[in-house]
Each structure stands twice: as C-alpha cells, then as structure tokens.
Amino acid sequence: MVLKVIKQFFLYMLVLLGLSILIFIIVRVMPGDTARLALGARTPEATVEALREEMHLHDPLYKQYYYWITDAFKGDFGISIISKRPVLEDIKSYFPATLELVMLSAVIMVIFGLLLGVLSTKYSGKWQDAVIRLISYLGVVSPAFFWAVLAMLLFAYFIPILPSSGRISAFMSPPVKITGMYIIDYILEGNFEGVVDSLKHIIMPAIVLSFNGISQAARITRSSMTENRDKAYALAEYAYGIPENKILFKYLLKPSLNSTVSVMALDIAGMVGGAFIVEQVFNYPGLSRYCLQAMLNKDVFSVSAVVLLLGVVFIVMNFLTDLLITVLDPRIRYSN
C-alpha cells in the first residue's frame, strides 16, 4: 500500500512536470512576440524590451524554461498586466472565492448525485426512474451557461428570491479575511446575518455548477447499483427479508462507488475550470473569472499561473481518488 502511494506520487510529479513544459511551450511559441502580445501594440518599444529581458526571451528555450520553473517554485509568476500586482497575490485574492464555490458545489453534487442514483435504482423501470434519467440526460447534454441563464431568470427576476451577482449584498461589509471564504469567515466572526447573505449569493451558481456532476453521478451510480443488485449476495439479502432501503444504502451503495467516486473526483477538479462561464454569468469574483479576463487581455503571466494551478488541482484530486478507491474496495487493497 505504501509503495503504491509512493509510486503514484512520483508518477503524478512527472505528469506535473510534463504539464509545466507544455504550458511554457504554448505561451512562448505562440505566433507573435510574447512580450508585445502581453503589453499591447501601443506600448513603447523600450518597455517591451524590458519585459523581454525580464522573461529571458533572448535566451535559448531550455534556459527560459529553467528560469520560469525556478521562479514558479519560489511563487514568482511575474506581474499581472491587468492588475499590475504579482500574479501570486491575485491568485491568493481570487482563489478562495472559487474554492468556496467549488466546495459547496461538490457537497451538493455528492449528496444529490448519490441520492438520485439510489432512488433511480430503487424505482428501476418505473416512472420515477424515467424522470430521474431524463433530468440526468438533460444535465449532461446541456451547457452550464444555459442553466445559469435559466436559473437567473427564474430565481432573480420572475421569482426574485435570490440575488443574481456578487458574493454579498452592497449593504454588507466583507468579513475579516481569515480563509478568504466568506461563509467560513462569517461563521468564525459569529456574524450569522453575513452567513445567510453569503449563502443567498452563492447557492444559485453552486447549484448550476454542480448540475452536470449530479447528472453524471446519478447515471453511473444507478448503472453500478443495478448491476450489483443482480449478484448473489444482493439476492440473498433480499431473500432474507432485509428492508430494501437498508440493502440499497448499506450493502449495495458502497461496492458500487468505485466508478462514481472516480467520475465525481474529476468533476470536482473540473469545476474549477468549469466555473469560467458560471462566474462570468453571475458576476462572481473568483479565479476563473480572473483567468478569463487575463485571456481576453493576453496576460500571459496570469494565464500560465492559473492553468498550472488547475493542473495541480487535477493531479491532487486524482491522487486522492486513487487512495479513496483503495480504501473503499478491499479487492484493490489486498491485491496490492
């Protein structure tokens, strides 16, 4: 078990190294002068030349990568063209908002994805199953911006019960920054009015962001549980007269989670990138919205740093998923 963890760790480190090389090459070899693209066509040549020197663009490509990755390990990703601040400071400022959104979306996805999957298994072949499968299909094939616009029209305009933008209301003061996540910081302050206000602002984008993951989790959970329900141990449990809900939630759900956990972990990691559209529609000041603005303004420093961070998130989630599946499935644990 320990040897497998160590092996997986080094494999993921190699993947991260490959990702960093890929990001560096894409940023450096894109058509045109990287420094000129970053600063714009009207910037004086002396300023552009200074940026070329800072980015070591006159050096060979392998030296440029060495300087870039060395600075990245030190937390130096350069100065953002948009904010004129160090990129790391921007990431520290915007990432907690996205992390809070993704965490709430992940909780919603896990709870409702598994619950709908179990209910679909319980009522397999009945109208309840058909309705859940139809909703799941719509959730998979429909883009996030469609649900974002629909939710905004429904709950912010036709039935105005939720705010449509921002993290808190204009009359609220932000909490003292401890984690950067408003809900947690308000709880630590004991400001429950702030907690409620933050939840009202975040709940709609969190549900929209989680909808695709809920649909995927429900479909895969149903498929795995339906397959396991026909196995000998499940048939024996039904024969002994064990209540169906106990069989579904206690004996069938756990061995059916391997595929679901893998998909949900990737969905949670993908939420960080998938938040681009959701944050833009709801005017939510998170990292994804910041990165989108950086892309539109050709801020190569910010884009490369955020993409590298997204890669790290994917790798960490994959690593944790491998560990979780090993714990959940004794066959994998003992085979190692």
Side-chain angles (χ1 to χ4, degrees):
M1 176 68 179
V2 177
L3 290 176
K4 183 191 176 185
V5 171
I6 295 173
K7 180 182 177 182
Q8 289 291 96
F9 176 77
F10 280 108
L11 286 175
Y12 285 130
M13 288 301 100
L14 288 176
V15 172
L16 183 58
L17 177 64
L19 176 66
S20 67
I21 294 172
L22 182 62
I23 293 170
F24 172 81
I25 291 175
I26 290 174
V27 171
R28 288 299 192 276
V29 303
M30 67 173 60
D33 186 342
T34 303
R36 176 59 70 183
L37 286 173
L39 295 178
R42 298 183 179 181
T43 305
E45 183 60 30
T47 305
V48 177
E49 182 61 29
L51 182 59
R52 292 193 190 106
E53 290 293 334
E54 181 183 341
M55 298 176 69
H56 307 283
L57 294 180
H58 297 303
D59 294 330
L61 205 59
Y62 69 91
K63 284 189 176 180
Q64 294 182 39
Y65 174 75
Y66 170 77
Y67 289 127
W68 179 75
I69 197 66
T70 302
D71 290 340
F73 274 118
K74 297 175 183 175
D76 181 8
F77 294 98
I79 304 297
S80 170
I81 305 300
I82 303 173
S83 64
K84 310 301 180 185
R85 299 191 305 171
V87 173
L88 186 60
E89 291 298 318
D90 285 343
I91 290 176
K92 289 179 180 179
S93 176
Y94 289 104
F95 185 61
T98 297
L99 182 60
E100 184 177 40
L101 176 62
V102 169
M103 287 173 62
L104 183 57
S105 300
V107 171
I108 294 171
M109 180 189 71
V110 171
I111 293 173
F112 287 95
L114 295 180
L115 182 61
L116 289 176
V118 173
L119 290 176
S120 187
T121 305
K122 180 177 180 178
Y123 297 107
S124 180
K126 299 180 181 179
W127 67 268
Q128 296 95 329
D129 179 33
V131 170
I132 293 173
R133 293 175 70 182
L134 176 62
I135 294 173
S136 300
Y137 178 76
L138 290 175
V140 171
V141 301
S142 302
F145 74 84
F146 169 77
W147 298 111
V149 173
L150 186 64
M152 186 179 292
L153 288 173
L154 183 59
F155 296 111
Y157 293 98
F158 295 128
I159 311 173
I161 57 175
L162 293 173
S164 61
S165 64
R167 296 183 72 185
I168 54 174
S169 301
F171 62 85
M172 294 290 298
S173 299
V176 177
K177 187 173 182 180
I178 302 173
T179 64
M181 294 180 277
Y182 280 9
I183 295 175
I184 295 177
D185 289 349
Y186 275 130
I187 291 174
L188 294 176
E189 277 188 8
N191 185 346
F192 294 103
E193 183 184 358
V195 173
V196 172
D197 190 71
S198 297
L199 281 172
K200 285 182 178 179
H201 281 78
I202 200 175
I203 191 65
M204 193 157 48
I207 291 174
V208 169
L209 187 59
S210 67
F211 198 54
N212 181 268
I214 290 173
S215 304
Q216 299 242 39
R219 294 173 71 243
I220 295 172
T221 301
R222 179 195 182 278
S223 176
S224 300
M225 291 186 69
T226 302
E227 180 181 348
N228 286 331
R229 192 171 59 175
D230 296 329
K231 292 184 178 178
Y233 74 92
L235 295 175
E237 289 161 359
Y238 278 104
Y240 276 113
I242 299 174
E244 185 178 16
N245 287 340
K246 186 174 182 180
I247 295 174
L248 290 172
F249 284 97
K250 186 174 181 180
Y251 299 114
L252 275 181
L253 183 58
K254 183 177 178 181
S256 304
L257 281 180
N258 286 359
S259 300
T260 308
V261 167
S262 300
V263 172
M264 285 196 298
L266 292 177
D267 282 337
I268 292 172
M271 283 177 184
V272 182
F276 277 74
I277 300 298
V278 174
E279 290 186 357
Q280 192 69 19
V281 172
F282 289 101
N283 196 26
Y284 188 84
L287 184 67
S288 297
R289 186 166 178 267
Y290 165 77
C291 185
L292 184 60
Q293 295 298 320
M295 290 178 181
L296 295 175
N297 289 278
K298 299 175 183 177
D299 189 345
V300 294
F301 299 116
S302 301
V303 172
S304 58
V306 173
V307 174
L308 186 62
L309 176 61
L310 294 180
V312 171
V313 171
F314 267 96
I315 289 171
V316 170
M317 290 305 300
N318 272 284
F319 183 67
L320 293 177
T321 303
D322 288 341
L323 294 180
L324 183 58
I325 290 177
T326 302
V327 172
L328 288 174
D329 194 338
R331 295 170 298 179
I332 298 176
R333 186 165 64 248
Y334 292 130
S335 68
N336 291 325

